[in-house]
């Protein structure tokens, strides 16, 4: 709780006390001056309440009302078919969305850029595995047992809710709306919010009972919380005997192929494998639009590395990047994210190792080049209680949007956990080998029981005594050896016989020998950057969306400021006026754009040029080509509205250069004459 | 049955008769000359049998043994990780495969080219819908009821088999191996094979009984055939109350969005929507490797068109294409596929309409540009019994591979079926409007019951009489009108009353009026090209694969002759010999290739240049760059093994031009000096 809020709450508590006592005075005296004082106090109270409301839901930050912003954005996205609730004509299904034409184009551009930025740049081994997965694989990974959320049921209607969401909503609503809360109660509710992920079913159940939380729709009582597995279950083959699931992540497909991929890579580490594909989570009650859905596209990288050497050959390329990081310590001490130089964060141990640091840097470059705002992107380190016990370190790329800070990319050093789990379950060793150029000499303990002598001495007990002797650890063996050398015999406890026996020096030889080893066999660590493509795209929509007044000033026009690399359509072509000659030129340009592989739209409707620009801006099209002569045309840049004049034959190559990132708009503006929009009826 | 085979069978039957009678002679006479004759007859018989075997399984066609070819191909594909049986370390799951690195790259190249060739070229509206689909959608489409295969169970072990596959195997094996079959029996078995898809469960069951077919693994008796739904079933949400399936095709996602897409397209026809995505079919017993799998990538186009105008604006671009077509008539009369000019096939009505013809042409261009052999590609028209009742015409692009002719693309005119089905089920009209520029005058029948008079005359029966009057068709109404005008009254049968009533001329007015209509409302037809991407890729592997002797002539080397557009890796870079200077050049070239977006591999192992070329040929890499000086390098083309010498700075742009298809290898050979491979130790 920040100090401003604390102060407001204190002041409010004081005012309420004053109002109460002043009310008593009024009731006692019924004097008109007392009523005046009461009314003025009430006015002050209401003003403080409004301030408090605004500070609690954060909606006043930056002067923009988040709800209004989101409503306008979502309306635009749905109207222009960036996305569509799936199966809408059948009333839809919660948590399932279609990408319509512009959304689908943005998505395939994001994926193409991901392939270029990660797979091609790092020579990763991309694979493509099925979504249908047999149970044995997801038992090994732990998903069958642990991939659950806690659920409660309306005891009368059977409607299901996520238990932690109900508690979260209750706490948030209390904090926002109940202004009479004591500071202690505020602290308790905030503590509950922070602990949500850690509550056991019993703790969550008792909180729900304690706060009297009921089913939101019916006000009926709720069942105790119980775990619900989030995987979509199915059955493979006609017999119904092979249980399967729709994969909840793509990573397992890579892990089970480790042996082949390692061999494909020439049995060398490090190397990375990558996969883009659908993943499925049967959310209990999906909310937050595109951010929490039941089917989504993941892009995952598994970078396999020697646990004893987590350096990265290209680490030097990212050391000087500076961006917002939110290390564990800052979070625990209630501080904000801080701008850090990546190289410093790695060298002072904030980030566990170079390879993890390298991927954090690459993710930062990926997201910002896509169009995510640098100021609204931070890398948050997992707290100790958030991480699995085996993880060495985890950082989430969080992007701020109207729903708050949203985890969009997870970057985790999962150590050897996954490969070990599948090695054990499948019986196939998923290991790497380091061949020594010179064999290494290793001192090894050698215990050799002399079975003949032991047999003569102990007959039927021989076997158990041999086993016990061979199982000695180094310390014990050295003690036995010393005793035998000094006394010639030793009392030796054999647990399986439940007694001690006397071992003589002719019954055993114990020595340390130097052995040659030719290789080291080990399970590689895996560093996993995992991208929620749909979440990144939604945040990109939020960061790209703005409004500006029309030329006449009578309405606000929507614009998506997508960088060319992700823009769904790279340019539109339209004749300035309806005219067969201009139309022919427009079609000729369209043909040359298709040949150059540039997605575009041609608009030969008679709509005013201003309306056509507005339409194109609302789809985030970066360039508009207007045919106003039969030799040259104008190219208009979306955000600046600047225009240049270009010869018809050069249009396609100019647009390709600037959308491929070979040249910038500034380069092109410098080369071609600018065109004043005064002559065209621009908006 | 071709005439050569018929002749062989006749000769064989004659020989068998001769052998039998000669055997009798031998037994009777035990004369040595008779034994000689018998032995020589037996030799002749065995030679004819061998000829017959070869002609039946077709393995001798072109002198290549198909089984041997496929074994070598599949071995190469698995060894180089083009694909991997999924979850191999857990013994795999039938019908599920992973694409390993080179296979995954081929797949994403095929999809990128598909997007360029269809979506971009035709300005299609691409969408991306979820795989998880609620039952209601698949009930409307008919999949819940009809998407089944007939299954039989081993009555003792419960193992499941596809009933038609067992019958097919039986018939094929009989035809291939049982040389004593009469011509009549051969005809019957061939008829069974042709009718497989049309047999009812009862017919299939009686055939299985008649032929005594048993479970192939155990020889146990089989159950009667019964339908098994091929969709993977699941349940959406936590309550278990929303049944769902993994989609068996991507098309439904487009149909349910028709209304929005039509609006997005400016309420204009024709337009096409497209979708690439996973589809799922829970095959009973998958066989044929990558050709029949349980999860696969589909690329589907739904081209919506006015049923009264199926012309296509770009039809003229494909009319002159000539390729193998296999119309219904040729199939029914036992002829082979014929080479036809597409324009002729459309104009003589063999292909139903221009749009269907346009897509057949575009599919031909797509497949052959990918590398599918023109001689092993044909377009086969569906027979009347193969098509759904609503379909106007269907053609399959079939590609010949070692498994026979495989359906890889279906191109169907499905008329208005799908949109109508979803309109009815959802209650949302999925229709298009044709606005008339000038309103059309239409003569319409107007029946106006005079309710007051009818009420007076018929009291409580009035409502039913009004309904019956209003429901009259034009002919009946005109008869009533004529009778009223001549006689003043008429006997009128009211079914719902079960009697006739007397209608007088003051009780009704009947007239024909001219009405103005401003638009025509209709359900568009849909033409659907649907691509099985995995099947296309497998056939491409077969058509691209060849072997050639190594330079030493001591072994056969494998080559994939992928065109650059689909090659998984565009080029490899290697120093001729291990040397820090050459290595630096190789790394510099690698960097420039990455910047140009060209996938490549660098190989600095000390392996011989010949071995490195062989390795790269086996992955289908079209170009190999060898660093043998610090100023220029050689570029070697895979199939011709020709080499040219190019300056280091130009390498990336040369490779980009030739892989993008901007220039051909011949263009480049003309521009740069050729390099004799004599100096390098080429294979």
């Amino acid at each position: 709780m920040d100090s401003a809020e604390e102060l407001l709450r204190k002041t409010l508590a004081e005012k309420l006390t004053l109002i109460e006592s002043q009310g008593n005075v009024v009731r006692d005296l019924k004097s008109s001056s007392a009523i005046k004082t009461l009314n003025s106090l009430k006015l002050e109270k209401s003003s403080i309440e409004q301030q408090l409301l605004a500070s609690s839901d954060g909606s006043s930050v930056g002067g923009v009302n988040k709800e209004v912003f989101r409503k306008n954005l979502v309306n635009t996205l749905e109207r222009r078919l960036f996305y569509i609730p799936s199966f809408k004509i059948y009333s839809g299904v919660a948590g399932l969305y279609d990408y319509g034409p512009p959304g689908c184009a943005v998505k395939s551009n994001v994926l193409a850029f991901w392939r270029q930025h990660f797979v091609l740049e790092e020579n990763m081994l991309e694979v493509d595995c099925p979504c249908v997965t047999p149970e044995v694989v997801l038992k090994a990974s732990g998903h069958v047992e642990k991939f659950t959320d806690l659920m409660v049921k309306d005891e009368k209607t059977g409607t299901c809710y996520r238990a932690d969401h109900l508690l979260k909503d209750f706490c948030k609503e209390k904090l926002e709306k109940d202004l009479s809360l004591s500071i202690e109660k505020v602290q308790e509710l905030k503590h509950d919010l922070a602990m949500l992920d850690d509550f056991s079913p019993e703790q969550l159940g008792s909180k729900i009972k304690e706060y009297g939380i009921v089913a939101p729709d019916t006000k009926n009582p709720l069942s105790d919380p119980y775990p619900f597995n989030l995987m979509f279950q199915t059955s493979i083959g006609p017999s119904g005997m092979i249980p399967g699931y729709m994969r909840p992540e793509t990573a397992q497909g890579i892990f089970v192929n480790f042996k082949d991929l390692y061999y494909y890579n020439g049995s060398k580490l490090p190397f990375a494998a990558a996969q883009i594909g659908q993943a499925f989570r049967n959310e209990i009650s999906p909310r937050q639009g595109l951010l929490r859905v039941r089917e989504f596209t993941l892009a995952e990288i598994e970078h396999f590395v020697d646990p004893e050497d987590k350096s990265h050959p290209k680490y030097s390329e990212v050391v000087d990047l500076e961006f917002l990081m939110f290390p564990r310590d800052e979070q625990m001490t209630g501080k904000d994210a801080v701008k850090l130089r990546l190289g410093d964060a790695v060298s002072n141990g904030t980030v566990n190792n170079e390879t993890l640091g390298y991927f954090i840097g690459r993710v930062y470059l990926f997201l910002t080049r896509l169009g995510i705002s640098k100021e609204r992107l931070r890398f948050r380190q997992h707290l100790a209680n958030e991480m699995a016990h085996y993880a060495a370190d985890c950082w989430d790329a969080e992007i701020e949007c109207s729903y708050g800070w949203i985890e969009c990319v997870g970057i985790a050093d999962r150590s050897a956990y996954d490969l070990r789990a599948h090695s054990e379950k499948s019986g196939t060793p998923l290991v790497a080998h380091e061949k020594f150029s010179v064999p290494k000499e290793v001192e090894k303990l050698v215990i050799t029981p002399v079975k003949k002598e032991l047999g003569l001495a102990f007959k039927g007990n021989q076997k158990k005594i041999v086993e016990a002797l061979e199982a000695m650890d180094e310390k014990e063996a050295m003690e036995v050896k010393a005793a035998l050398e000094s006394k010639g015999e030793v009392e030796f406890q054999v647990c399986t016989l439940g007694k001690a026996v006397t071992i003589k020096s002719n019954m055993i030889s114990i020595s340390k020998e130097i052995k040659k080893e030719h290789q080291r066999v080990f399970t590689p660590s895996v560093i996993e950057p995992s991208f929620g493509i749909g979440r990144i795209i939604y945040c990109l929509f939020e960061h790209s969306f703005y409004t500006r007044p029309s030329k006449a000033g009578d309405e606000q026009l929507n614009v998506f400021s997508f960088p060319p690399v992700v823009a769904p359509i790279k340019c539109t072509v339209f004749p300035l006026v309806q005219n067969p000659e201009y139309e022919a030129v427009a079609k000729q340009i369209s043909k040359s754009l298709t040949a150059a592989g540039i997605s575009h739209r041609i608009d030969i409707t008679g709509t005013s040029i201003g309306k056509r620009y507005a339409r194109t801006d609302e789809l985030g099209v970066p360039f508009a080509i207007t045919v106003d002569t039969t030799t040259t045309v104008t190219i208009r840049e979306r955000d600046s509205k600047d225009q240049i004049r270009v010869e018809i034959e050069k249009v396609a190559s100019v647009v390709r250069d600037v959308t491929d990132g070979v040249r910038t708009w500034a380069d092109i503006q410098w080369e071609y004459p600018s065109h004043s929009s005064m002559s065209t009826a621009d908006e």
Side-chain angles (χ1 to χ4, degrees), chain A:
Chain A
M1 184 155 61
D2 62 25
S3 56
E5 187 185 341
E6 203 167 319
L7 191 66
L8 283 169
R9 286 198 183 271
K10 267 191 191 152
T11 319
L12 184 62
E14 286 164 18
K15 292 288 167 200
L16 286 170
T17 315
L18 282 177
I19 288 171
E20 200 186 341
S21 64
Q22 192 65 29
N24 290 339
V25 172
V26 170
R27 238 166 282 123
D28 288 353
L29 300 182
K30 310 201 181 247
S31 101
S32 69
S33 80
I35 289 174
K36 257 191 199 162
T37 315
L38 177 63
N39 285 342
S40 106
L41 279 171
K42 281 186 176 168
L43 215 64
E44 286 177 54
K45 162 184 161 269
S46 130
S47 148
I48 296 167
E49 279 178 351
Q50 280 186 5
Q51 285 178 59
L52 198 51
L53 269 176
S55 88
S56 295
D57 73 359
S59 67
S60 70
V61 174
V64 183
N65 183 307
K66 289 181 183 178
E67 299 296 328
V68 172
F69 170 83
R70 186 160 68 222
K71 210 173 149 190
N72 187 20
L73 168 74
V74 165
N75 178 291
T76 308
L77 289 172
E78 291 206 30
R79 187 166 39 77
R80 300 310 300 264
L81 295 199
F82 279 89
Y83 72 90
I84 310 162
S86 298
F87 318 112
K88 206 169 82 173
I89 62 170
Y90 293 102
S91 318
V93 175
L96 294 179
Y97 293 92
D98 300 340
Y99 287 98
C104 186
V106 168
K107 183 180 166 189
S108 71
N109 292 338
V110 167
L111 292 177
F113 182 60
W114 191 88
R115 275 208 175 92
Q116 165 76 28
H117 186 83
F118 291 105
V119 179
L120 191 67
E121 188 75 33
E122 316 280 350
N123 255 330
M124 292 177 180
L125 307 182
E126 190 180 345
V127 300
D128 182 12
C129 309
C131 302
V132 174
T133 305
E135 186 173 55
V136 62
V137 173
L138 296 159
K139 270 197 170 154
S141 69
H143 285 91
V144 171
E145 200 192 335
K146 289 182 185 157
F147 195 63
T148 56
D149 275 341
L150 291 171
M151 179 157 95
V152 287
K153 268 193 181 174
D154 180 318
E155 284 196 341
K156 287 185 184 158
T157 66
T159 308
C160 305
Y161 302 95
R162 246 182 87 166
D164 59 341
H165 279 180
L166 292 190
L167 180 58
K168 188 176 176 183
D169 291 348
F170 173 84
C171 294
K172 280 200 160 178
E173 178 150 340
K174 266 280 175 202
L175 285 170
E176 281 173 18
K177 307 255 167 89
D178 185 350
L179 303 164
S180 66
L181 285 181
S182 68
I183 292 171
E184 292 71 31
K185 196 73 196 166
V186 168
Q187 297 290 20
E188 186 192 337
L189 294 173
K190 290 201 167 177
H191 178 260
D192 289 346
L193 283 175
M195 293 294 293
L196 270 180
D197 291 345
D198 291 325
F199 280 143
S200 68
E202 293 71 29
Q203 287 173 311
L204 210 49
S206 75
K207 279 283 169 193
I208 287 173
K209 286 226 163 61
E210 181 190 335
Y211 294 145
I213 300 173
V214 290
D217 304 320
T218 61
K219 311 295 169 205
N220 289 332
L222 293 167
S223 73
D224 285 333
Y226 60 97
F228 171 75
N229 194 299
L230 297 180
M231 292 192 291
F232 283 97
Q233 194 166 7
T234 191
S235 159
I236 307 170
S239 67
M241 301 296 278
I242 311 177
Y245 299 92
M246 303 311 298
R247 63 178 176 196
E249 58 175 34
T250 69
Q252 302 307 323
I254 297 176
F255 295 137
V256 298
N257 281 322
F258 172 78
K259 202 180 157 190
D260 281 341
L261 294 170
Y262 178 60
Y263 178 77
Y264 185 84
N265 198 52
S267 300
K268 284 201 186 72
L269 285 185
F271 75 91
Q275 182 167 198
I276 296 173
Q278 293 302 89
F280 304 82
R281 297 188 187 179
N282 195 9
E283 296 286 349
I284 294 170
S285 49
R287 318 192 286 185
Q288 299 193 315
L290 294 182
L291 292 179
R292 188 165 293 279
V293 293
R294 286 177 164 152
E295 181 177 339
F296 48 96
T297 302
L298 277 183
E300 296 191 296
I301 294 166
E302 309 299 329
H303 181 91
F304 298 102
V305 63
D306 185 337
E308 292 177 10
D309 176 13
K310 293 185 178 173
S311 64
H312 193 285
K314 289 161 85 179
Y315 171 63
S316 63
E317 292 176 16
V318 298
V319 281
D320 288 325
L321 291 175
E322 279 191 17
F323 46 79
L324 281 178
M325 299 188 82
F326 202 8
R328 206 170 286 151
D329 284 351
E330 268 67 15
Q331 298 171 56
M332 297 301 282
T333 54
K335 293 187 193 141
D336 278 336
V338 284
K339 204 166 187 181
L340 293 178
R341 185 179 159 276
L342 182 55
D344 296 338
V346 172
S347 61
N348 69 21
T350 304
V351 171
N352 184 279
N353 59 71
E354 265 191 17
T355 299
L356 195 63
Y358 177 72
F359 279 110
I360 290 173
R362 292 291 295 169
V363 169
Y364 169 81
L365 292 174
F366 173 72
L367 293 173
T368 51
R369 282 174 190 169
L370 274 188
I372 294 296
S373 156
K374 290 175 190 183
E375 288 70 37
R376 301 176 71 192
L377 167 63
R378 72 181 184 195
F379 288 82
R380 190 182 71 78
Q381 189 172 32
H382 279 208
L383 299 178
N385 66 3
E386 284 179 275
M387 285 201 306
H389 64 277
Y390 48 79
D393 194 8
C394 295
W395 292 78
D396 286 342
E398 294 186 332
I399 305 176
E400 197 194 18
C401 73
S402 65
Y403 291 106
W405 287 94
I406 302 298
E407 172 200 344
C408 291
V409 186
I411 309 153
D413 182 336
R414 300 175 54 82
S415 73
Y417 177 77
D418 308 278
L419 293 182
R420 283 220 181 102
H422 285 297
S423 294
E424 273 167 30
K425 190 86 179 175
S426 70
T428 301
L430 304 176
V431 293
H433 305 261
E434 185 199 2
K435 293 232 158 58
F436 299 139
S437 48
V438 180
K440 281 195 183 166
E441 298 197 330
V442 182
E443 201 183 47
K444 286 218 157 177
L445 179 72
V446 181
I447 300 172
T448 319
V450 182
K451 291 186 184 169
K452 194 185 149 200
E453 298 295 333
L454 288 163
L456 283 172
F458 302 110
K459 312 250 158 46
N461 287 336
Q462 180 204 351
K463 195 171 165 245
K464 286 184 178 164
I465 295 168
V466 167
E467 282 171 1
L469 289 170
E470 284 177 340
M472 284 189 288
D473 64 23
E474 186 164 330
K475 186 167 162 276
E476 196 183 357
M478 286 298 116
E479 284 166 10
V480 168
K481 185 179 158 78
L484 288 176
E485 279 167 9
S486 60
K487 303 184 216 158
E489 63 175 52
V490 67
E491 286 296 290
F492 180 70
Q493 187 69 31
V494 182
C495 293
T496 47
L497 290 178
K499 64 171 183 180
V501 294
T502 305
I503 301 291
K504 302 199 172 146
S505 51
N506 65 340
M507 294 177 186
I508 187 167
S509 90
I510 297 172
S511 62
K512 278 198 169 174
E513 286 179 18
I514 304 294
K515 291 228 164 186
K516 280 194 175 177
E517 289 200 338
H518 295 265
Q519 62 175 3
R520 179 170 73 98
V521 179
F522 60 96
T523 305
S525 280
V526 61
I527 289 167
E528 177 188 86
S530 171
F531 298 71
I533 297 298
R535 288 185 167 194
I536 293 171
I537 290 173
Y538 177 75
C539 291
L540 180 63
F541 288 155
E542 281 215 1
H543 289 203
S544 305
F545 188 66
Y546 69 96
T547 58
R548 58 186 176 196
S550 65
K551 204 169 189 184
D554 56 346
E555 56 178 330
Q556 286 288 319
L557 300 174
N558 301 321
V559 187
F560 280 106
S561 63
F562 299 126
V565 67
V566 288
I569 297 164
K570 307 305 178 195
C571 66
T572 39
V573 187
F574 27 71
L576 180 61
V577 292
Q578 279 188 308
N579 158 339
E581 272 191 324
Y582 289 0
E583 231 177 272
V585 172
K587 282 183 180 161
Q588 181 193 335
I589 290 172
S590 166
K591 225 169 175 176
S592 65
L593 289 167
T594 300
I598 297 164
S599 72
H600 63 282
R601 283 285 175 281
I602 187 165
D603 182 350
I604 52 172
T605 61
T607 320
S608 81
I609 193 78
K611 280 225 173 95
R612 281 185 284 175
Y613 280 146
R615 230 186 243 167
T616 214
D617 293 344
E618 203 182 41
L619 281 175
V621 182
F623 305 104
I625 297 163
T626 304
V627 181
D628 57 354
T629 79
T630 55
T631 52
T632 66
V633 298
T634 67
I635 304 183
R636 166 189 180 269
E637 195 276 332
R638 173 195 58 211
D639 299 302
S640 63
K641 299 190 202 170
D642 286 344
Q643 296 186 46
I644 55 168
R645 185 161 285 286
V646 177
E647 297 79 14
I648 286 163
E649 314 74 61
K650 291 193 183 161
V651 168
S653 74
V654 166
V655 174
R656 186 169 64 176
D657 282 358
V658 75
T659 54
D660 278 3
V662 175
R663 292 199 284 173
T664 65
W665 174 250
D667 295 338
I668 288 174
Q669 268 188 307
W670 185 83
E671 187 175 334
Y672 292 92
S674 82
H675 171 79
S676 153
S677 71
M678 299 293 281
S679 56
T680 66
D682 195 359
E683 73 276 46

